């Protein structure tokens, strides 16, 4: 039993070191991929899914590996991340790690974005914002993930679905959820900036702007700006 604990502790330490190396240099990530690093780290995430510490550490390493390497992300990993996001609702720490991995899988990869949307990531992210709307770290990562879904940054495809994804996000009652979250974090300038930026990113049609106004969003944002004059640049 003690040997097992020591072995697991060593494994987690090695995963932390791997993550640090991946963060240092893209070449380290590319080399790890040639050594079957993707399969090994994804399997490790699956192994630790019921162990919060192990899951978070393995997710950090996996997320660092796929950063800038979205083309290697498999359908199985996308489904696993979506399932984790939907089912692990009681841990803000795990939620943040899962969302960061989703971000890294989606940045500059239109195919992954579309697959995540088909797997139900949008309602899952909106639910996270409703559940953990008091947490600045969750707000930051969730808002950025929603915005990433509306990016048009993949030069390998002639046409993306950024506009369609924005429509899908709005259809999940996003404006109401974002505005309610804003009301609960009025003293947190960083969270307000993330929420307002996301609101702006989604206001892609005249009727959406009208919806925001009808929900009291314009008045609320102006009140926020007035109350945060020194932070207007960020908000």
């Amino acid at each position: 039993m003690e040997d097992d604990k020591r072995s697991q502790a060593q494994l987690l330490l090695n995963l932390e070191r791997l993550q640090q190396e991946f963060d240092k240099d893209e070449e380290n990530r590319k080399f790890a991929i040639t050594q079957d690093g993707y399969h090994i780290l994804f399997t490790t995430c699956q192994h630790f899914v019921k162990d919060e510490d192990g899951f978070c550490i393995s997710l950090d390493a996996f997320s660092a590996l796929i950063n800038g390497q979205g083309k290697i992300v498999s359908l199985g990993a996308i489904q696993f991340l979506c399932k984790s996001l939907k089912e692990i609702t009681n841990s803000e720490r795990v939620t943040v790690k899962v969302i960061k991995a989703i971000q890294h899988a989606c940045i500059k990869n239109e195919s992954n974005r579309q697959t995540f949307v088909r797997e139900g990531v949008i309602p899952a992210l909106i639910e996270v914002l409703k559940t953990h709307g008091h947490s600045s770290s969750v707000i930051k990562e969730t808002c950025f993930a929603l915005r990433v879904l509306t990016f048009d940054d993949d030069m390998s495809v002639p046409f993306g679905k950024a506009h369609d994804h924005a429509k899908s996000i709005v259809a999940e009652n996003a404006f109401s959820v974002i505005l309610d979250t804003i009301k609960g974090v009025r003293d947190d300038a960083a969270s307000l900036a993330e929420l307002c930026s996301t609101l702006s990113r989604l206001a892609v049609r005249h009727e959406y702007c009208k919806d925001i106004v009808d929900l009291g969003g314009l008045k609320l944002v102006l009140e926020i700006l007035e109350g945060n004059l020194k932070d207007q640049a960020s908000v």
Side-chain angles (χ1 to χ4, degrees), residues 44-99:
T44 304
C45 289
Q46 294 173 302
H47 173 76
F48 281 115
V49 70
K50 295 184 178 180
D51 178 331
E52 181 167 322
D53 284 340
F55 191 41
C56 286
I57 292 170
S58 56
L59 266 176
D60 277 342
F62 180 73
S63 181
L65 176 69
I66 65 173
N67 187 14
Q69 315 287 331
K71 64 183 179 181
I72 69 171
V73 178
S74 63
L75 174 60
I78 291 174
Q79 292 173 331
F80 175 75
L81 290 171
C82 284
K83 185 172 184 288
S84 299
L85 186 65
K86 295 170 186 176
E87 294 183 355
I88 303 173
T89 59
N90 60 344
S91 172
E92 293 177 9
R93 179 188 176 204
V94 175
T95 298
V96 165
K97 304 293 186 183
V98 172
I99 294 175

Side-chain angles (χ1 to χ4, degrees), residues 138-189:
V138 173
I139 289 172
K140 175 185 175 183
E141 303 306 335
T142 304
C143 284
F144 184 58
L146 288 170
R147 296 200 300 274
V148 166
L149 294 175
T150 70
F151 283 2
D152 187 17
D153 58 358
D154 187 344
M155 298 298 103
S156 68
V157 296
F159 302 103
K161 291 192 174 182
H163 194 80
D164 290 338
H165 292 169
K167 288 168 59 179
S168 297
I169 294 169
V170 171
E172 291 294 333
N173 203 29
F175 290 149
S176 179
V177 173
I178 290 171
L179 292 173
D180 284 345
T181 307
I182 287 175
K183 293 173 186 176
V185 294
R186 286 174 178 264
D187 296 326
D188 183 348

Side-chain angles (χ1 to χ4, degrees), residues 105-119:
C106 288
I107 291 174
K108 295 186 179 180
N109 195 294
E110 180 64 21
S111 175
N112 287 350
R113 284 193 287 260
Q114 293 183 21
T115 304
F116 270 107
V117 170
R118 287 196 296 271
E119 293 295 327

